[in-house]
Amino acid sequence: MTSSGDAAARRTPLYETHAGLGATLVDFAGWLMPLRYSGGERAEHTAVRERAGLFDLSHMGEIHVTGPQAGEALDHALVGHLSAVATGRARYTMITAEDGGVLDDLIVYRLADDDYLVVANAANADTVAAALTERAAGFDAAVHDASADYALIAVQGPAAADILAPLTDADLGAIRYYAGYRHTVAGRPALLARTGYTGEDGFEIFLRPGAAAPEVWDALLAAGEPHGLVPAGLSARDTLRLEAGMPLYGNELSADITPFEAGQGRVVKFDKPGDFVGRAALERAAATGRSRRLIGLAGRGRRPLRAGNEVLRDGTPVGTVTSGAPSPTLGRPIAMAYVDADLDTATGAFAVDVRGRAEDVDVVDLPFYTRDR
């Protein structure tokens, strides 16, 4: 094991497991997390695309909103229509400030009529919990940050269902995409959800208490060995989500960006009953149009495109790369970037300034990769 983490960083219940597997551990959002394992991130990425990978996501935030008006409280707090979500289903949504800027993107699971689980990004979990508490005031609903109680494991890839099937009492074929139900995994009670952040089929396993995580992880690794399952770290997760065109908070999403600018305006539900935080600003944003938009870029050469690089059109700066990396699946550098909303991307020569050298790129549709369904 190698580590570049802060001594004060928190450890997930799987920390010793990662150390034993030779992971490179880094400080990520205040947590010591595996960046990669001994096989390297490219091998991990390829395994997820072709077979399966196993991820520790225990740094994510888990916040319960419960009570007779839990759905109405979330309708007010978030941009989505959460009270309309059926029990057992999940919804991708966002929490915004009054000015419409994104505070975080979330997945919300409806566990029962009066019980919702809000899953927040690790760096924003405290912010989301505090905002939900404030915004739920006046509703018959309670907000409880249960992040410290949970561990979260994901198995992602074409072989994910085959690996998980012998370890669970669930009929995996009956669990649709963006659905989650209470089952057992490796004999442990879990919320088993068909969700993920890789662009592949897969499952996320929420364990409470989190102390069960090492046992479940080991059972999954053993069951997955004949299928080529490998542990995978943050680096592979990032290139997988980039290929799938999925936004990352702090890169494509921030408090300075609205859902419409990020190409996620579909998650804003103006037709739901009642008011919600940020509604007026988002209505103005929807009416006036975007000032910038997110595009995909694919390099013609080999030099990686990185966040912060300038995007050039006919030599003139027109935007900024938000995420970029070599794509193991496509075999070329790829990036997402913000450009002016009215920029004509169908004409002109596009390039990215990489350390003072213009690297020719093609403007391409997002996502870069879509799995066969």
Side-chain angles (χ1 to χ4, degrees):
M1 175 195 72
T2 59
S3 175
S4 61
D6 190 314
R10 300 168 67 183
R11 299 181 178 188
T12 79
L14 288 162
Y15 171 83
E16 296 296 341
T17 300
H18 301 316
L21 290 169
T24 297
L25 294 160
V26 297
D27 187 335
F28 180 79
W31 292 82
L32 274 178
M33 298 297 297
L35 181 66
R36 66 179 69 86
Y37 297 83
S38 57
E41 57 262 39
R42 180 175 289 270
E44 294 165 19
H45 179 113
T46 301
V48 175
R49 287 281 179 254
E50 298 179 354
R51 302 180 303 278
L54 192 61
F55 297 85
D56 178 12
L57 307 180
S58 301
H59 60 310
M60 301 291 281
E62 290 87 10
I63 303 157
H64 282 273
V65 181
T66 59
Q69 292 187 305
E72 289 85 346
L74 286 171
D75 285 347
H76 171 69
L78 310 179
V79 302
H81 192 182
L82 286 310
S83 64
V85 176
T87 299
R89 300 309 304 272
R91 184 70 48 84
Y92 175 76
T93 187
M94 294 180 180
I95 182 168
T96 66
E98 286 282 6
D99 65 0
V102 178
L103 299 178
D104 202 13
D105 62 333
L106 313 164
I107 296 181
V108 179
Y109 299 86
R110 190 169 192 173
L111 307 182
D113 286 349
D114 60 354
D115 186 4
Y116 292 78
L117 177 64
V118 179
V119 180
N121 287 296
N124 299 328
D126 291 344
T127 297
V128 172
L132 290 177
T133 300
E134 179 182 349
R135 298 176 187 190
F139 293 90
D140 189 0
V143 177
H144 173 59
D145 186 354
S147 304
D149 301 336
Y150 276 93
L152 175 56
I153 296 172
V155 55
Q156 301 279 301
D162 291 337
I163 292 166
L164 186 58
L167 298 178
T168 181
D169 61 340
D171 175 4
L172 298 181
I175 301 179
R176 292 180 289 170
Y177 187 52
Y178 264 68
Y181 303 96
R182 297 192 185 279
H183 287 287
T184 60
V185 177
R188 296 287 189 164
L191 171 64
L192 181 60
R194 200 162 204 153
T195 46
Y197 193 51
T198 63
E200 296 295 339
D201 188 23
F203 299 86
E204 295 184 319
I205 304 161
F206 294 83
L207 298 163
R208 188 182 190 188
E215 178 183 339
V216 174
W217 176 281
D218 288 345
L220 286 164
L221 271 186
E225 185 175 3
H227 300 275
L229 175 72
V230 302
L234 293 173
S235 185
R237 189 166 182 252
D238 190 51
T239 52
L240 289 160
R241 70 91 195 166
L242 175 58
E243 288 184 346
M246 295 178 171
L248 174 66
Y249 196 88
N251 292 47
E252 288 71 45
L253 300 172
S254 76
D256 297 321
I257 295 170
T258 70
F260 295 99
E261 291 173 314
Q264 302 293 324
R266 60 184 171 77
V267 307
V268 181
K269 304 301 181 184
F270 292 124
D271 58 349
K272 64 179 175 178
D275 195 11
F276 64 91
V277 178
R279 180 178 190 129
L282 290 170
E283 285 179 335
R284 289 194 297 272
T288 59
R290 300 174 291 176
S291 62
R292 53 190 161 183
R293 60 190 170 98
L294 197 62
I295 63 170
L297 302 172
R300 296 180 185 176
R302 308 299 297 179
R303 295 186 77 193
L305 314 175
R306 299 298 187 189
N309 292 159
E310 277 192 324
V311 180
L312 310 174
R313 180 179 181 271
D314 296 331
T316 300
V318 293
T320 305
V321 171
T322 54
S323 294
S327 166
T329 304
L330 304 180
R332 60 193 298 196
I334 58 173
M336 290 193 282
Y338 276 113
V339 298
D340 293 339
D342 58 357
L343 181 71
D344 181 6
T345 56
T347 61
F350 281 81
V352 170
D353 184 341
V354 181
R355 297 182 180 178
R357 176 174 155 184
E359 296 291 331
D360 292 338
V361 297
D362 298 312
V363 178
V364 299
D365 292 336
L366 293 172
F368 302 97
Y369 166 86
T370 303
R371 69 180 174 91
D372 295 331
R373 301 198 180 257

